[in-house]
mmCIF file of all heavy atoms in Angstrom:
data_model
loop_
_atom_site.group_PDB
_atom_site.id
_atom_site.type_symbol
_atom_site.label_atom_id
_atom_site.label_comp_id
_atom_site.label_asym_id
_atom_site.label_seq_id
_atom_site.Cartn_x
_atom_site.Cartn_y
_atom_site.Cartn_z
ATOM 1 N N SER A 1 10.923 -3.769 -8.302
ATOM 2 C CA SER A 1 10.274 -4.343 -7.126
ATOM 3 C C SER A 1 11.311 -4.406 -6.018
ATOM 4 O O SER A 1 12.344 -5.038 -6.162
ATOM 5 C CB SER A 1 9.738 -5.746 -7.425
ATOM 6 O OG SER A 1 9.208 -6.318 -6.263
ATOM 7 N N VAL A 2 11.050 -3.707 -4.934
ATOM 8 C CA VAL A 2 12.043 -3.642 -3.861
ATOM 9 C C VAL A 2 11.869 -4.749 -2.839
ATOM 10 O O VAL A 2 12.711 -4.954 -1.987
ATOM 11 C CB VAL A 2 12.019 -2.264 -3.145
ATOM 12 C CG1 VAL A 2 12.441 -1.168 -4.093
ATOM 13 C CG2 VAL A 2 10.644 -1.973 -2.568
ATOM 14 N N TRP A 3 10.762 -5.456 -2.924
ATOM 15 C CA TRP A 3 10.531 -6.557 -2.000
ATOM 16 C C TRP A 3 11.238 -7.804 -2.482
ATOM 17 O O TRP A 3 11.264 -8.099 -3.667
ATOM 18 C CB TRP A 3 9.065 -6.863 -1.898
ATOM 19 C CG TRP A 3 8.275 -5.913 -1.057
ATOM 20 C CD1 TRP A 3 8.696 -4.745 -0.511
ATOM 21 C CD2 TRP A 3 6.918 -6.070 -0.681
ATOM 22 N NE1 TRP A 3 7.678 -4.168 0.188
ATOM 23 C CE2 TRP A 3 6.575 -4.957 0.094
ATOM 24 C CE3 TRP A 3 5.971 -7.029 -0.927
ATOM 25 C CZ2 TRP A 3 5.319 -4.793 0.640
ATOM 26 C CZ3 TRP A 3 4.716 -6.866 -0.390
ATOM 27 C CH2 TRP A 3 4.396 -5.752 0.394
ATOM 28 N N GLY A 4 11.775 -8.534 -1.546
ATOM 29 C CA GLY A 4 12.339 -9.840 -1.847
ATOM 30 C C GLY A 4 11.253 -10.893 -1.837
ATOM 31 O O GLY A 4 10.090 -10.610 -1.539
ATOM 32 N N PRO A 5 11.602 -12.127 -2.151
ATOM 33 C CA PRO A 5 10.585 -13.180 -2.204
ATOM 34 C C PRO A 5 9.925 -13.433 -0.858
ATOM 35 O O PRO A 5 8.739 -13.759 -0.803
ATOM 36 C CB PRO A 5 11.362 -14.403 -2.678
ATOM 37 C CG PRO A 5 12.790 -14.105 -2.399
ATOM 38 C CD PRO A 5 12.928 -12.617 -2.485
ATOM 39 N N GLU A 6 10.660 -13.248 0.234
ATOM 40 C CA GLU A 6 10.079 -13.500 1.547
ATOM 41 C C GLU A 6 8.916 -12.559 1.814
ATOM 42 O O GLU A 6 7.882 -12.969 2.338
ATOM 43 C CB GLU A 6 11.138 -13.367 2.651
ATOM 44 C CG GLU A 6 12.225 -14.408 2.596
ATOM 45 C CD GLU A 6 13.317 -14.117 1.575
ATOM 46 O OE1 GLU A 6 13.396 -12.974 1.058
ATOM 47 O OE2 GLU A 6 14.087 -15.039 1.270
ATOM 48 N N GLU A 7 9.088 -11.282 1.443
ATOM 49 C CA GLU A 7 8.014 -10.313 1.657
ATOM 50 C C GLU A 7 6.808 -10.638 0.782
ATOM 51 O O GLU A 7 5.665 -10.561 1.217
ATOM 52 C CB GLU A 7 8.494 -8.881 1.379
ATOM 53 C CG GLU A 7 9.465 -8.357 2.402
ATOM 54 C CD GLU A 7 10.923 -8.606 2.041
ATOM 55 O OE1 GLU A 7 11.191 -9.377 1.090
ATOM 56 O OE2 GLU A 7 11.795 -8.048 2.709
ATOM 57 N N HIS A 8 7.068 -11.000 -0.488
ATOM 58 C CA HIS A 8 5.968 -11.357 -1.382
ATOM 59 C C HIS A 8 5.229 -12.592 -0.871
ATOM 60 O O HIS A 8 4.000 -12.647 -0.898
ATOM 61 C CB HIS A 8 6.486 -11.611 -2.807
ATOM 62 C CG HIS A 8 6.658 -10.362 -3.597
ATOM 63 N ND1 HIS A 8 5.681 -9.866 -4.419
ATOM 64 C CD2 HIS A 8 7.692 -9.505 -3.694
ATOM 65 C CE1 HIS A 8 6.106 -8.751 -4.985
ATOM 66 N NE2 HIS A 8 7.322 -8.514 -4.569
ATOM 67 N N LEU A 9 5.976 -13.578 -0.413
ATOM 68 C CA LEU A 9 5.346 -14.797 0.100
ATOM 69 C C LEU A 9 4.564 -14.512 1.379
ATOM 70 O O LEU A 9 3.468 -15.038 1.577
ATOM 71 C CB LEU A 9 6.406 -15.876 0.336
ATOM 72 C CG LEU A 9 7.092 -16.394 -0.937
ATOM 73 C CD1 LEU A 9 8.299 -17.251 -0.571
ATOM 74 C CD2 LEU A 9 6.124 -17.158 -1.810
ATOM 75 N N ALA A 10 5.117 -13.662 2.254
ATOM 76 C CA ALA A 10 4.416 -13.310 3.500
ATOM 77 C C ALA A 10 3.129 -12.547 3.193
ATOM 78 O O ALA A 10 2.092 -12.782 3.829
ATOM 79 C CB ALA A 10 5.328 -12.487 4.404
ATOM 80 N N LEU A 11 3.186 -11.646 2.213
ATOM 81 C CA LEU A 11 1.989 -10.900 1.841
ATOM 82 C C LEU A 11 0.921 -11.832 1.273
ATOM 83 O O LEU A 11 -0.257 -11.746 1.653
ATOM 84 C CB LEU A 11 2.323 -9.808 0.820
ATOM 85 C CG LEU A 11 1.139 -9.002 0.298
ATOM 86 C CD1 LEU A 11 0.439 -8.262 1.432
ATOM 87 C CD2 LEU A 11 1.589 -8.042 -0.782
ATOM 88 N N ALA A 12 1.323 -12.729 0.396
ATOM 89 C CA ALA A 12 0.366 -13.678 -0.178
ATOM 90 C C ALA A 12 -0.275 -14.521 0.920
ATOM 91 O O ALA A 12 -1.492 -14.760 0.913
ATOM 92 C CB ALA A 12 1.054 -14.569 -1.204
ATOM 93 N N ASP A 13 0.527 -14.938 1.885
ATOM 94 C CA ASP A 13 0.012 -15.735 2.992
ATOM 95 C C ASP A 13 -0.967 -14.916 3.843
ATOM 96 O O ASP A 13 -2.043 -15.388 4.205
ATOM 97 C CB ASP A 13 1.169 -16.249 3.846
ATOM 98 C CG ASP A 13 0.717 -17.260 4.870
ATOM 99 O OD1 ASP A 13 -0.026 -18.195 4.505
ATOM 100 O OD2 ASP A 13 1.104 -17.116 6.051
ATOM 101 N N ALA A 14 -0.602 -13.673 4.132
ATOM 102 C CA ALA A 14 -1.466 -12.815 4.954
ATOM 103 C C ALA A 14 -2.797 -12.542 4.258
ATOM 104 O O ALA A 14 -3.853 -12.534 4.895
ATOM 105 C CB ALA A 14 -0.759 -11.502 5.272
ATOM 106 N N LEU A 15 -2.762 -12.348 2.946
ATOM 107 C CA LEU A 15 -3.982 -12.006 2.219
ATOM 108 C C LEU A 15 -4.956 -13.171 2.076
ATOM 109 O O LEU A 15 -6.081 -12.992 1.619
ATOM 110 C CB LEU A 15 -3.635 -11.432 0.842
ATOM 111 C CG LEU A 15 -3.044 -10.024 0.880
ATOM 112 C CD1 LEU A 15 -2.584 -9.603 -0.503
ATOM 113 C CD2 LEU A 15 -4.027 -9.028 1.465
ATOM 114 N N ARG A 16 -4.555 -14.346 2.499
ATOM 115 C CA ARG A 16 -5.488 -15.479 2.508
ATOM 116 C C ARG A 16 -6.533 -15.324 3.619
ATOM 117 O O ARG A 16 -7.590 -15.915 3.564
ATOM 118 C CB ARG A 16 -4.720 -16.785 2.678
ATOM 119 C CG ARG A 16 -3.983 -17.194 1.441
ATOM 120 C CD ARG A 16 -3.362 -18.580 1.592
ATOM 121 N NE ARG A 16 -2.530 -18.856 0.453
ATOM 122 C CZ ARG A 16 -1.226 -18.586 0.375
ATOM 123 N NH1 ARG A 16 -0.612 -18.062 1.402
ATOM 124 N NH2 ARG A 16 -0.548 -18.836 -0.702
ATOM 125 N N SER A 17 -6.221 -14.517 4.618
ATOM 126 C CA SER A 17 -7.128 -14.299 5.737
ATOM 127 C C SER A 17 -8.203 -13.288 5.351
ATOM 128 O O SER A 17 -7.887 -12.172 4.920
ATOM 129 C CB SER A 17 -6.349 -13.770 6.946
ATOM 130 O OG SER A 17 -7.234 -13.210 7.890
ATOM 131 N N PRO A 18 -9.477 -13.632 5.549
ATOM 132 C CA PRO A 18 -10.530 -12.659 5.243
ATOM 133 C C PRO A 18 -10.439 -11.421 6.129
ATOM 134 O O PRO A 18 -10.796 -10.324 5.705
ATOM 135 C CB PRO A 18 -11.833 -13.421 5.489
ATOM 136 C CG PRO A 18 -11.460 -14.642 6.248
ATOM 137 C CD PRO A 18 -10.012 -14.904 6.007
ATOM 138 N N HIS A 19 -9.922 -11.573 7.338
ATOM 139 C CA HIS A 19 -9.774 -10.419 8.240
ATOM 140 C C HIS A 19 -8.739 -9.442 7.688
ATOM 141 O O HIS A 19 -8.958 -8.232 7.708
ATOM 142 C CB HIS A 19 -9.367 -10.874 9.647
ATOM 143 C CG HIS A 19 -10.336 -11.818 10.271
ATOM 144 N ND1 HIS A 19 -11.603 -11.448 10.672
ATOM 145 C CD2 HIS A 19 -10.233 -13.133 10.548
ATOM 146 C CE1 HIS A 19 -12.240 -12.482 11.164
ATOM 147 N NE2 HIS A 19 -11.429 -13.531 11.106
ATOM 148 N N VAL A 20 -7.634 -9.963 7.202
ATOM 149 C CA VAL A 20 -6.593 -9.110 6.640
ATOM 150 C C VAL A 20 -7.118 -8.417 5.385
ATOM 151 O O VAL A 20 -6.900 -7.216 5.191
ATOM 152 C CB VAL A 20 -5.310 -9.923 6.343
ATOM 153 C CG1 VAL A 20 -4.307 -9.091 5.562
ATOM 154 C CG2 VAL A 20 -4.692 -10.436 7.638
ATOM 155 N N ARG A 21 -7.808 -9.154 4.531
ATOM 156 C CA ARG A 21 -8.355 -8.547 3.310
ATOM 157 C C ARG A 21 -9.331 -7.427 3.648
ATOM 158 O O ARG A 21 -9.309 -6.362 3.026
ATOM 159 C CB ARG A 21 -9.032 -9.608 2.433
ATOM 160 C CG ARG A 21 -8.051 -10.530 1.737
ATOM 161 C CD ARG A 21 -8.712 -11.348 0.647
ATOM 162 N NE ARG A 21 -9.898 -12.071 1.071
ATOM 163 C CZ ARG A 21 -9.896 -13.296 1.583
ATOM 164 N NH1 ARG A 21 -8.756 -13.939 1.745
ATOM 165 N NH2 ARG A 21 -11.022 -13.880 1.928
ATOM 166 N N ARG A 22 -10.164 -7.645 4.655
ATOM 167 C CA ARG A 22 -11.134 -6.630 5.065
ATOM 168 C C ARG A 22 -10.409 -5.377 5.579
ATOM 169 O O ARG A 22 -10.769 -4.250 5.236
ATOM 170 C CB ARG A 22 -12.075 -7.204 6.123
ATOM 171 C CG ARG A 22 -13.324 -6.411 6.335
ATOM 172 C CD ARG A 22 -14.399 -7.097 7.171
ATOM 173 N NE ARG A 22 -13.928 -7.935 8.268
ATOM 174 C CZ ARG A 22 -13.974 -9.274 8.265
ATOM 175 N NH1 ARG A 22 -14.450 -9.934 7.237
ATOM 176 N NH2 ARG A 22 -13.542 -9.971 9.297
ATOM 177 N N LEU A 23 -9.371 -5.579 6.385
ATOM 178 C CA LEU A 23 -8.596 -4.439 6.879
ATOM 179 C C LEU A 23 -7.911 -3.690 5.741
ATOM 180 O O LEU A 23 -7.871 -2.460 5.728
ATOM 181 C CB LEU A 23 -7.550 -4.904 7.893
ATOM 182 C CG LEU A 23 -8.073 -5.233 9.286
ATOM 183 C CD1 LEU A 23 -6.979 -5.895 10.115
ATOM 184 C CD2 LEU A 23 -8.587 -3.985 9.972
ATOM 185 N N CYS A 24 -7.375 -4.439 4.797
ATOM 186 C CA CYS A 24 -6.712 -3.804 3.647
ATOM 187 C C CYS A 24 -7.690 -2.946 2.854
ATOM 188 O O CYS A 24 -7.347 -1.839 2.424
ATOM 189 C CB CYS A 24 -6.086 -4.858 2.739
ATOM 190 S SG CYS A 24 -4.612 -5.617 3.424
ATOM 191 N N MET A 25 -8.884 -3.464 2.663
ATOM 192 C CA MET A 25 -9.894 -2.691 1.940
ATOM 193 C C MET A 25 -10.217 -1.398 2.683
ATOM 194 O O MET A 25 -10.336 -0.336 2.074
ATOM 195 C CB MET A 25 -11.164 -3.528 1.733
ATOM 196 C CG MET A 25 -10.959 -4.750 0.861
ATOM 197 S SD MET A 25 -10.457 -4.363 -0.812
ATOM 198 C CE MET A 25 -11.945 -3.640 -1.427
ATOM 199 N N ARG A 26 -10.317 -1.483 3.992
ATOM 200 C CA ARG A 26 -10.625 -0.290 4.796
ATOM 201 C C ARG A 26 -9.445 0.689 4.757
ATOM 202 O O ARG A 26 -9.639 1.887 4.609
ATOM 203 C CB ARG A 26 -10.938 -0.705 6.239
ATOM 204 C CG ARG A 26 -11.207 0.443 7.171
ATOM 205 C CD ARG A 26 -12.493 1.190 6.790
ATOM 206 N NE ARG A 26 -12.684 2.301 7.676
ATOM 207 C CZ ARG A 26 -12.523 3.584 7.325
ATOM 208 N NH1 ARG A 26 -12.224 3.900 6.092
ATOM 209 N NH2 ARG A 26 -12.700 4.544 8.202
ATOM 210 N N LEU A 27 -8.234 0.171 4.874
ATOM 211 C CA LEU A 27 -7.060 1.043 4.833
ATOM 212 C C LEU A 27 -6.955 1.770 3.497
ATOM 213 O O LEU A 27 -6.531 2.926 3.438
ATOM 214 C CB LEU A 27 -5.784 0.231 5.084
ATOM 215 C CG LEU A 27 -5.580 -0.268 6.508
ATOM 216 C CD1 LEU A 27 -4.431 -1.263 6.559
ATOM 217 C CD2 LEU A 27 -5.343 0.884 7.468
ATOM 218 N N GLY A 28 -7.361 1.106 2.441
ATOM 219 C CA GLY A 28 -7.312 1.720 1.116
ATOM 220 C C GLY A 28 -8.252 2.897 0.967
ATOM 221 O O GLY A 28 -8.103 3.704 0.052
ATOM 222 N N GLN A 29 -9.210 3.028 1.863
ATOM 223 C CA GLN A 29 -10.177 4.123 1.813
ATOM 224 C C GLN A 29 -9.785 5.291 2.725
ATOM 225 O O GLN A 29 -10.455 6.315 2.747
ATOM 226 C CB GLN A 29 -11.567 3.610 2.213
ATOM 227 C CG GLN A 29 -12.089 2.544 1.293
ATOM 228 C CD GLN A 29 -13.327 1.854 1.848
ATOM 229 O OE1 GLN A 29 -13.725 2.053 2.992
ATOM 230 N NE2 GLN A 29 -13.929 1.012 1.030
ATOM 231 N N MET A 30 -8.701 5.132 3.462
ATOM 232 C CA MET A 30 -8.313 6.154 4.440
ATOM 233 C C MET A 30 -7.451 7.250 3.816
ATOM 234 O O MET A 30 -6.738 7.023 2.844
ATOM 235 C CB MET A 30 -7.527 5.515 5.593
ATOM 236 C CG MET A 30 -8.352 4.642 6.474
ATOM 237 S SD MET A 30 -7.330 4.019 7.848
ATOM 238 C CE MET A 30 -8.577 3.270 8.840
ATOM 239 N N SER A 31 -7.513 8.406 4.452
ATOM 240 C CA SER A 31 -6.670 9.529 4.038
ATOM 241 C C SER A 31 -5.240 9.299 4.525
ATOM 242 O O SER A 31 -4.986 8.426 5.363
ATOM 243 C CB SER A 31 -7.202 10.829 4.653
ATOM 244 O OG SER A 31 -6.992 10.819 6.066
#
């Protein structure tokens, strides 16, 4: 795992937002 704890904590915090989760789902479908 190349991420440090700050990155993991920031990601966990960001993913609490429904807007971020929705964008992530859309990005996962892109080429």
Side-chain angles (χ1 to χ4, degrees):
S1 176
V2 295
W3 283 8
E6 294 80 13
E7 290 92 349
H8 277 267
L9 294 169
L11 177 61
D13 189 48
L15 288 173
R16 286 187 187 91
S17 164
H19 301 291
V20 171
R21 287 193 308 271
R22 196 168 36 252
L23 283 171
C24 287
M25 296 298 290
R26 177 66 182 108
L27 288 169
Q29 299 169 351
M30 290 183 171
S31 69

